Amino acid sequence: MKHKIIKILVMGIVLAALSIGTVFGQSQSGTTPLPTVTLGIDQAQEPGDVAITLQILALMTVLSLAPAILILTTSFTRIIIIFHFIRQALGTQQMPSNQILIGLALFLTFFIMTPIWKEVNDKALQPYLAEEISDKDAYREAVQPIRKFMLNLTREKDLALFMKFADEDKPETAQDIPLQVIVPAFVVSELRIAFQIGFLLYVPFLMIDMVVASVLMSMGMLMLPPIMISLPFKVLLFVLVDGWHIVVHSVVNSFGL
Protein backbone atom coordinates (compact mmCIF):
# COMPACT_ATOMS: atom_id res chain seq x y z
CA MET A 1 0.00 0.00 0.00
CA LYS A 2 2.88 2.37 0.79
CA HIS A 3 4.31 1.60 -2.63
CA LYS A 4 1.01 2.76 -4.12
CA ILE A 5 1.30 6.01 -2.16
CA ILE A 6 4.75 6.63 -3.61
CA LYS A 7 3.40 5.99 -7.11
CA ILE A 8 0.53 8.41 -6.46
CA LEU A 9 2.94 11.11 -5.29
CA VAL A 10 5.18 10.58 -8.32
CA MET A 11 2.18 10.75 -10.63
CA GLY A 12 1.12 13.97 -8.93
CA ILE A 13 4.54 15.51 -9.50
CA VAL A 14 4.49 14.43 -13.15
CA LEU A 15 1.00 15.85 -13.65
CA ALA A 16 2.06 19.10 -12.00
CA ALA A 17 5.09 19.32 -14.29
CA LEU A 18 2.91 18.65 -17.34
CA SER A 19 0.41 21.29 -16.27
CA ILE A 20 3.20 23.82 -15.76
CA GLY A 21 4.55 22.98 -19.20
CA THR A 22 1.09 23.42 -20.70
CA VAL A 23 0.62 26.78 -19.03
CA PHE A 24 4.08 27.87 -20.18
CA GLY A 25 3.29 26.83 -23.74
CA GLN A 26 0.01 28.70 -23.69
CA SER A 27 1.72 31.77 -22.28
CA GLN A 28 4.07 31.73 -25.25
CA SER A 29 1.09 31.74 -27.59
CA GLY A 30 -0.49 34.64 -25.72
CA THR A 31 -3.47 32.70 -24.27
CA THR A 32 -2.47 32.27 -20.63
CA PRO A 33 -5.40 30.88 -18.60
CA LEU A 34 -6.26 32.24 -15.18
CA PRO A 35 -5.66 29.59 -12.50
CA THR A 36 -8.28 28.69 -9.89
CA VAL A 37 -8.03 26.75 -6.63
CA THR A 38 -10.91 24.56 -5.51
CA LEU A 39 -11.40 22.60 -2.30
CA GLY A 40 -13.94 19.84 -1.93
CA ILE A 41 -14.80 16.49 -0.38
CA ASP A 42 -15.78 13.74 -2.81
CA GLN A 43 -17.37 10.44 -1.98
CA ALA A 44 -14.98 7.48 -2.01
CA GLN A 45 -15.77 4.90 -4.64
CA GLU A 46 -13.95 2.01 -2.92
CA PRO A 47 -12.82 1.28 0.66
CA GLY A 48 -9.23 1.30 -0.58
CA ASP A 49 -9.53 4.99 -1.43
CA VAL A 50 -10.21 5.80 2.21
CA ALA A 51 -7.20 3.74 3.32
CA ILE A 52 -4.90 5.49 0.85
CA THR A 53 -6.17 8.89 2.00
CA LEU A 54 -5.53 8.02 5.64
CA GLN A 55 -2.03 6.77 4.83
CA ILE A 56 -1.21 9.97 2.95
CA LEU A 57 -2.46 11.94 5.95
CA ALA A 58 -0.24 9.86 8.26
CA LEU A 59 2.73 10.42 5.93
CA MET A 60 2.19 14.18 5.99
CA THR A 61 1.99 14.06 9.79
CA VAL A 62 5.33 12.23 9.97
CA LEU A 63 6.89 14.79 7.63
CA SER A 64 5.68 17.60 9.90
CA LEU A 65 7.55 15.91 12.77
CA ALA A 66 10.76 15.59 10.75
CA PRO A 67 12.48 18.61 12.41
CA ALA A 68 11.87 17.13 15.87
CA ILE A 69 13.19 13.76 14.71
CA LEU A 70 16.28 15.43 13.24
CA ILE A 71 16.94 17.30 16.49
CA LEU A 72 16.33 14.50 18.99
CA THR A 73 17.93 11.51 17.24
CA THR A 74 21.13 13.12 15.96
CA SER A 75 24.09 15.09 17.26
CA PHE A 76 22.29 18.41 16.78
CA THR A 77 21.16 18.77 20.41
CA ARG A 78 24.66 18.65 21.89
CA ILE A 79 26.17 20.94 19.25
CA ILE A 80 23.62 23.75 19.45
CA ILE A 81 23.67 23.82 23.27
CA ILE A 82 27.46 24.08 23.31
CA PHE A 83 27.37 26.92 20.79
CA HIS A 84 24.86 28.85 22.89
CA PHE A 85 27.05 28.37 25.99
CA ILE A 86 29.99 29.86 24.09
CA ARG A 87 27.99 32.89 23.05
CA GLN A 88 26.74 33.47 26.59
CA ALA A 89 30.25 33.06 28.01
CA LEU A 90 31.64 35.60 25.55
CA GLY A 91 28.84 38.02 26.38
CA THR A 92 28.41 39.06 22.74
CA GLN A 93 24.60 39.03 23.03
CA GLN A 94 23.31 38.05 19.56
CA MET A 95 26.66 37.68 17.82
CA PRO A 96 26.94 35.19 16.17
CA SER A 97 23.23 35.24 15.40
CA ASN A 98 20.91 32.30 15.93
CA GLN A 99 20.74 31.67 12.19
CA ILE A 100 24.53 31.29 11.97
CA LEU A 101 24.75 29.00 15.00
CA ILE A 102 21.85 26.82 13.85
CA GLY A 103 23.24 26.66 10.31
CA LEU A 104 26.69 25.63 11.52
CA ALA A 105 25.14 23.09 13.90
CA LEU A 106 23.10 21.60 11.05
CA PHE A 107 26.12 21.24 8.76
CA LEU A 108 28.15 19.63 11.55
CA THR A 109 25.21 17.31 12.21
CA PHE A 110 25.12 16.30 8.54
CA PHE A 111 28.90 15.73 8.64
CA ILE A 112 28.72 13.55 11.77
CA MET A 113 25.61 11.63 10.72
CA THR A 114 26.66 11.01 7.10
CA PRO A 115 28.08 7.48 7.76
CA ILE A 116 24.88 6.48 9.58
CA TRP A 117 22.61 7.89 6.88
CA LYS A 118 24.73 6.26 4.16
CA GLU A 119 24.25 2.91 5.86
CA VAL A 120 20.50 3.52 6.05
CA ASN A 121 20.44 4.37 2.35
CA ASP A 122 22.47 1.30 1.32
CA LYS A 123 20.70 -1.25 3.50
CA ALA A 124 17.13 0.06 3.65
CA LEU A 125 16.15 2.81 1.21
CA GLN A 126 17.75 1.57 -2.00
CA PRO A 127 16.65 -2.08 -1.57
CA TYR A 128 13.12 -0.89 -0.79
CA LEU A 129 12.98 1.35 -3.86
CA ALA A 130 14.26 -1.57 -5.92
CA GLU A 131 11.43 -3.70 -4.42
CA GLU A 132 13.96 -6.17 -3.02
CA ILE A 133 12.63 -5.94 0.56
CA SER A 134 9.27 -5.13 2.11
CA ASP A 135 8.40 -1.93 3.95
CA LYS A 136 8.69 -3.66 7.33
CA ASP A 137 12.15 -5.01 6.50
CA ALA A 138 13.18 -1.57 5.24
CA TYR A 139 12.06 0.05 8.50
CA ARG A 140 13.90 -2.56 10.55
CA GLU A 141 17.11 -2.12 8.57
CA ALA A 142 16.86 1.68 8.70
CA VAL A 143 16.41 1.80 12.46
CA GLN A 144 19.40 -0.38 13.30
CA PRO A 145 22.21 2.13 12.50
CA ILE A 146 20.34 4.92 14.30
CA ARG A 147 19.75 2.68 17.34
CA LYS A 148 23.44 1.79 17.42
CA PHE A 149 24.47 5.45 17.21
CA MET A 150 22.17 6.49 20.07
CA LEU A 151 23.03 3.51 22.28
CA ASN A 152 26.77 4.22 22.01
CA LEU A 153 26.17 7.72 23.42
CA THR A 154 23.53 6.88 26.04
CA ARG A 155 24.25 6.11 29.68
CA GLU A 156 22.92 2.88 31.16
CA LYS A 157 21.55 4.94 34.03
CA ASP A 158 19.29 6.90 31.69
CA LEU A 159 18.19 3.74 29.88
CA ALA A 160 17.31 2.10 33.19
CA LEU A 161 15.30 5.17 34.21
CA PHE A 162 13.06 5.09 31.14
CA MET A 163 12.81 1.30 31.22
CA LYS A 164 11.43 1.73 34.72
CA PHE A 165 8.99 4.40 33.57
CA ALA A 166 7.84 2.13 30.74
CA ASP A 167 7.42 -0.76 33.20
CA GLU A 168 9.59 -2.99 31.03
CA ASP A 169 11.64 -5.95 32.19
CA LYS A 170 15.41 -5.78 32.16
CA PRO A 171 16.52 -6.48 28.56
CA GLU A 172 18.96 -9.27 27.87
CA THR A 173 20.54 -7.54 24.87
CA ALA A 174 20.54 -4.06 23.36
CA GLN A 175 18.17 -5.27 20.63
CA ASP A 176 15.50 -5.84 23.27
CA ILE A 177 15.40 -2.15 24.25
CA PRO A 178 12.42 -0.46 22.57
CA LEU A 179 13.01 2.63 20.50
CA GLN A 180 10.61 4.74 22.59
CA VAL A 181 12.99 4.16 25.52
CA ILE A 182 16.22 4.82 23.63
CA VAL A 183 15.24 8.22 22.22
CA PRO A 184 14.42 10.05 25.52
CA ALA A 185 17.35 8.39 27.28
CA PHE A 186 19.63 9.53 24.45
CA VAL A 187 18.33 13.11 24.70
CA VAL A 188 18.88 13.22 28.48
CA SER A 189 22.44 11.92 28.05
CA GLU A 190 23.13 14.49 25.33
CA LEU A 191 21.84 17.31 27.56
CA ARG A 192 24.11 16.16 30.38
CA ILE A 193 27.23 16.04 28.18
CA ALA A 194 26.39 19.37 26.51
CA PHE A 195 26.06 21.13 29.86
CA GLN A 196 29.32 19.60 31.10
CA ILE A 197 31.20 20.82 28.04
CA GLY A 198 29.46 24.20 28.26
CA PHE A 199 30.55 24.59 31.88
CA LEU A 200 34.19 23.84 31.01
CA LEU A 201 34.04 26.43 28.23
CA TYR A 202 32.45 28.97 30.56
CA VAL A 203 35.17 28.85 33.27
CA PRO A 204 38.00 30.73 31.45
CA PHE A 205 35.69 33.60 30.50
CA LEU A 206 34.28 33.71 34.01
CA MET A 207 37.81 34.12 35.37
CA ILE A 208 38.36 37.11 33.09
CA ASP A 209 35.11 38.68 34.35
CA MET A 210 36.21 38.18 37.96
CA VAL A 211 39.66 39.68 37.37
CA VAL A 212 38.26 42.72 35.58
CA ALA A 213 35.62 43.25 38.29
CA SER A 214 38.28 43.05 41.03
CA VAL A 215 40.52 45.56 39.24
CA LEU A 216 37.66 48.00 38.75
CA MET A 217 36.64 47.73 42.41
CA SER A 218 40.20 48.31 43.57
CA MET A 219 40.37 51.42 41.38
CA GLY A 220 37.07 52.69 42.71
CA MET A 221 35.40 52.62 39.30
CA LEU A 222 32.15 51.12 40.59
CA MET A 223 29.91 52.90 38.08
CA LEU A 224 31.61 51.33 35.05
CA PRO A 225 30.05 47.98 34.09
CA PRO A 226 32.74 45.24 34.17
CA ILE A 227 31.21 43.58 31.09
CA MET A 228 32.21 46.57 28.95
CA ILE A 229 35.86 46.13 29.91
CA SER A 230 36.01 42.34 29.96
CA LEU A 231 34.29 41.80 26.60
CA PRO A 232 37.26 42.91 24.43
CA PHE A 233 39.63 40.75 26.50
CA LYS A 234 37.39 37.69 26.17
CA VAL A 235 37.04 38.16 22.42
CA LEU A 236 40.81 38.68 22.12
CA LEU A 237 41.49 35.49 24.11
CA PHE A 238 39.02 33.52 21.99
CA VAL A 239 40.62 34.76 18.77
CA LEU A 240 44.22 34.18 19.90
CA VAL A 241 43.59 30.56 20.87
CA ASP A 242 41.60 29.96 17.64
CA GLY A 243 38.51 29.23 19.70
CA TRP A 244 36.12 28.11 16.97
CA HIS A 245 38.63 25.60 15.63
CA ILE A 246 39.17 24.15 19.11
CA VAL A 247 35.45 24.00 19.89
CA VAL A 248 34.47 22.34 16.61
CA HIS A 249 37.38 19.91 16.89
CA SER A 250 36.36 18.96 20.43
CA VAL A 251 32.66 18.63 19.55
CA VAL A 252 33.30 16.36 16.57
CA ASN A 253 35.78 14.23 18.54
CA SER A 254 33.23 13.83 21.34
CA PHE A 255 31.19 11.67 18.94
CA GLY A 256 34.10 9.34 18.30
CA LEU A 257 35.09 10.64 14.86
Side-chain angles (χ1 to χ4, degrees), residues 141-155:
E141 292 293 335
V143 168
Q144 291 305 319
I146 302 175
R147 283 172 55 95
K148 182 179 179 182
F149 170 78
M150 291 190 291
L151 285 173
N152 289 336
L153 301 173
T154 305
R155 295 189 305 171

Side-chain angles (χ1 to χ4, degrees), residues 33-45:
L34 296 177
T36 59
V37 178
T38 59
L39 297 176
I41 300 177
D42 297 331
Q43 184 176 0
Q45 302 297 327

Side-chain angles (χ1 to χ4, degrees), residues 69-160:
I69 297 174
L70 175 64
I71 291 173
L72 298 181
T73 60
T74 63
S75 57
F76 181 83
T77 302
R78 183 190 303 188
I79 296 172
I80 195 63
I81 291 176
I82 292 173
F83 285 170
H84 277 285
F85 264 108
I86 294 175
R87 189 173 66 180
Q88 291 295 326
L90 286 171
T92 54
Q93 302 301 323
Q94 296 297 321
M95 184 61 63
S97 63
N98 290 331
Q99 290 83 355
I100 294 176
L101 293 182
I102 293 174
L104 179 58
L106 283 174
F107 274 101
L108 288 177
T109 300
F110 294 150
F111 177 79
I112 294 171
M113 299 298 297
T114 293
I116 292 92
W117 290 340
K118 184 177 183 301
E119 186 176 354
V120 172
N121 179 70
D122 295 339
K123 295 184 177 180
L125 181 58
Q126 294 302 325
Y128 175 71
L129 294 178
E131 299 184 356
E132 297 176 357
I133 58 177
S134 63
D135 52 352
K136 294 182 179 180
D137 294 334
Y139 172 77
R140 184 169 57 251
E141 292 293 335
V143 168
Q144 291 305 319
I146 302 175
R147 283 172 55 95
K148 182 179 179 182
F149 170 78
M150 291 190 291
L151 285 173
N152 289 336
L153 301 173
T154 305
R155 295 189 305 171
E156 294 184 2
K157 181 179 180 180
D158 296 326
L159 288 172

Side-chain angles (χ1 to χ4, degrees), residues 206-217:
L206 181 62
M207 297 299 296
I208 294 178
D209 288 332
M210 294 176 63
V211 170
V212 171
S214 300
V215 172
L216 292 178
M217 290 182 62

Side-chain angles (χ1 to χ4, degrees), residues 182-202:
I182 297 177
V183 173
F186 169 74
V187 174
V188 172
S189 298
E190 287 294 284
L191 290 174
R192 169 181 168 271
I193 296 176
F195 272 74
Q196 287 180 343
I197 298 176
F199 171 77
L200 295 177
L201 294 173
Y202 216 104

